[in-house]
Amino acid sequence: MAKKKKKLSDKARLRAFFQDAADGKRFREPVCRHFGDCGGCEFQDVPYREQCDLKRRVFAFIREAVDGDFRERAEALRPDDPEAAEALVRKADSLGALLDGVPVGLVESPREFGYRQRMDYVFAFGKAGLRRVNRHRQVVELAECPLLGEQAFSVVRKAHDLAVAAGLESYDYMRHTGELRYFVVRQSRNGQVLLSLVSKTTGARESVLRILQRLLDDGDIASGHWLLAPGLGDVSFGERLDGVGAEWIAEEMNGTTLRIGPNTFFQSNPAVAEQAYAAIRDFAPADGRVLDMYSGVGSIGLTISPGAGEVVLVENVPDNVRLAEINIRENRRENVALVIDDAARYLVELAGPGGAEPADSGGAEPAASHDAGPAGPTGGRPDMVVVNPPRPGVHDDGMAAIRRLAPEKLAYLSCNPFTLLRNLADIADGYRLRSVTVYDMFPETRHFETLALLERA
């Protein structure tokens, strides 16, 4: 009997598509000396317009792959559970009908290089940089990084030199020995730089704080943080133990000031992100009630709020929650409220009977639900729901709750087009797709964000 071929993951299928599609287009001279060794970039040798064309065309490939997944699962289920099989076929048909005739738009990045608001540089095996191409156990020592601006990268190099001079040992994530794990740098477009040093133990305290203070005194950074990550997992975030300078830096987007801390989520390409947020704002119903799920520091909800009647942010990651509260207050958005809860659980509770309590979506432990701000969340059906979930997408029960709530409009911004389409298939028969747009927030890589705007049919 022939051995069944193992199915590729979404990530592997996406990588294979881009590798094949880029063949014959690699005729440009890379700008970085590390290209080909460092895994941070994939397409520096592909002209930017060709990169954008690949990202526009990949959506059709993903649509076909998701449709095929539904139908393949249906065939496997048909002998034992014909009803479940037919439900999957209907889901595939509904998704196809939703997408048919809707062209895929694309928004290019204004900057091909130097666009990154954040970079995480690993410090391992005596080297500070990024992983080697397809070699997780090897690190490429970087002398330059065109994805990040020169100012921020020079801060990383200086911090590295100071760490070496202080005798801080790099962390060996294979043997779990050493001390300093990551240099994480963030830079806002107004030039403010935030640097986090991530260590394995508290023994690095004196050296880390001395390095951060030196960088602050020299005017290299505005905000410095010491983060502790004691576990075995390879992570570039951790508990904030101490710091120097300002608690956060600020980014201006669409007339809103957004504070950014060491552990808060924020889009890596603000120039493209604010265009996506503006598209959601322009799509929102005037004076309507809007739910902003997985709201982070409030980037999308605060962008929408000047023209909305009420905006409810839903977030449960403590670092995001704290800055969302500050951003609401500092921007004086009295029609914005904050609910601290798991997004899918909140949707299920709001929608009422018809679905089970979802499992936690992962990440930080959710705090008890409460509201902040003078408006306070109210019950009833929202006029619009905005979702910007992590890579796994919206929990199935969350999508079922959106279907029961039946908002007039839905905006779904996704970093994973596979889960985007799978989620949309759950509500496809009740909505029509107004537009689907690829936002190239990550030039030189295969990554992108997709925004789908839908209206209730």
Side-chain angles (χ1 to χ4, degrees):
M1 183 177 177
K3 187 177 180 180
K4 187 176 180 180
K5 187 177 180 181
K6 185 178 180 181
K7 187 174 181 179
L8 293 176
S9 67
D10 293 342
K11 183 178 180 181
R13 286 191 283 182
L14 199 61
R15 182 189 298 115
F17 170 87
F18 276 115
Q19 287 175 344
D20 292 343
D23 285 348
K25 301 180 186 298
R26 297 184 179 276
F27 51 81
R28 186 177 70 168
E29 187 69 24
V31 303
C32 180
R33 73 188 81 176
H34 303 295
F35 180 72
D37 290 328
C38 171
C41 294
E42 297 163 284
F43 301 129
Q44 281 195 24
D45 55 352
V46 176
Y48 184 56
R49 288 298 173 87
E50 297 284 354
Q51 294 180 37
C52 292
D53 181 61
L54 293 180
K55 292 181 179 181
R56 184 185 288 108
R57 289 196 289 117
V58 73
F59 200 82
F61 164 79
I62 294 168
R63 172 184 173 178
E64 182 178 342
V66 171
D67 180 90
D69 291 343
F70 282 138
R71 298 183 190 281
E72 184 178 323
R73 286 170 54 202
E75 286 304 309
L77 283 172
R78 198 174 303 280
D80 300 319
D81 194 344
E83 289 187 8
E86 286 305 314
L88 285 170
V89 171
R90 287 195 300 271
K91 188 177 286 192
D93 290 343
S94 295
L95 181 63
L98 181 75
L99 297 171
D100 281 347
V102 181
V104 178
L106 185 135
V107 173
E108 298 181 4
S109 175
R111 301 180 68 180
E112 188 180 349
F113 296 100
Y115 64 85
R116 294 280 309 200
Q117 182 268 339
R118 170 178 175 154
M119 287 292 290
D120 299 9
Y121 296 105
V122 64
F123 189 34
F125 319 122
K127 299 177 180 179
L130 297 174
R131 302 306 197 294
R132 192 173 297 278
V133 175
N134 299 325
R135 296 289 186 274
H136 177 76
R137 300 184 180 189
Q138 298 180 24
V139 174
V140 177
E141 180 83 34
L142 297 182
E144 63 179 336
C145 184
L147 295 185
L148 187 67
E150 292 183 11
Q151 176 191 356
F153 186 74
S154 68
V155 170
V156 173
R157 292 308 310 169
K158 184 173 179 177
H160 166 261
D161 294 343
L162 291 171
V164 171
L168 278 173
E169 184 183 1
S170 65
Y171 184 68
D172 183 329
Y173 52 79
M174 302 306 299
R175 297 183 175 87
H176 304 292
T177 60
E179 184 57 62
L180 192 58
R181 307 179 72 144
Y182 273 90
F183 301 94
V184 181
V185 64
R186 312 184 82 147
Q187 181 177 13
S188 60
R189 287 177 292 178
N190 61 15
Q192 292 180 308
V193 176
L194 180 153
L195 179 70
S196 298
L197 301 186
V198 185
S199 70
K200 169 72 173 178
T201 75
T202 57
R205 178 186 182 90
E206 185 177 341
S207 296
V208 166
L209 292 179
R210 188 182 299 117
I211 292 168
L212 293 174
Q213 189 64 52
R214 168 70 181 277
L215 294 170
L216 181 69
D217 293 343
D218 290 351
D220 298 305
I221 63 174
S223 179
H225 303 267
W226 173 35
L227 308 182
L228 179 68
L232 298 182
D234 181 22
V235 297
S236 58
F237 57 88
E239 178 188 0
R240 183 186 184 276
L241 297 183
D242 210 336
V244 302
E247 289 189 60
W248 51 72
I249 58 175
E251 182 69 68
E252 297 286 334
M253 298 182 73
N254 295 314
T256 299
T257 301
L258 299 166
R259 280 76 179 171
I260 309 164
N263 284 324
T264 49
F265 168 77
F266 203 83
Q267 292 286 3
S268 293
N269 191 330
V272 178
E274 67 179 348
Q275 294 185 63
Y277 298 166
I280 297 172
R281 176 200 64 200
D282 295 343
F283 185 64
D287 299 321
R289 181 171 186 267
V290 179
L291 297 184
D292 180 10
M293 316 306 298
Y294 312 92
S295 60
V297 299
S299 309
I300 298 177
L302 289 169
T303 298
I304 294 172
S305 62
E310 179 187 27
V311 176
V312 178
L313 312 180
V314 182
E315 177 61 59
N316 71 335
V317 177
D319 289 286
N320 289 339
V321 167
R322 179 169 177 266
L323 283 185
E325 291 172 335
I326 293 170
N327 288 333
I328 293 170
R329 183 174 65 249
E330 295 297 318
N331 285 283
R332 299 180 180 179
R333 303 295 166 81
E334 297 186 356
N335 64 333
V336 179
L338 174 65
V339 171
I340 305 175
D341 204 349
D342 174 81
R345 175 165 45 234
Y346 178 81
L347 284 168
V348 168
E349 291 176 352
L350 187 64
E357 176 84 358
D360 285 344
S361 57
E365 280 294 316
S369 176
H370 80 279
D371 49 280
T378 58
R381 182 172 65 87
D383 299 297
M384 179 174 177
V385 172
V386 179
V387 292
N388 183 200
R391 291 196 66 80
V394 181
H395 191 280
D396 288 347
D397 287 339
M399 291 306 300
I402 290 175
R403 184 184 181 93
R404 294 197 302 279
L405 288 169
E408 291 293 334
K409 295 188 175 185
L410 173 67
Y412 193 134
L413 181 62
S414 173
C415 61
N416 186 341
F418 284 92
T419 55
L420 165 68
L421 293 188
R422 291 179 187 128
N423 277 165
L424 292 186
D426 290 334
I427 60 167
D429 58 351
Y431 283 82
R432 57 177 175 267
L433 186 63
R434 289 294 302 273
S435 66
V436 57
T437 306
V438 169
Y439 285 83
D440 188 20
M441 295 197 195
F442 308 97
E444 317 312 318
T445 79
R446 65 179 178 275
H447 304 293
F448 56 91
E449 300 263 340
T450 309
L451 174 62
L453 301 177
L454 302 99
E455 284 184 333
R456 190 153 58 95

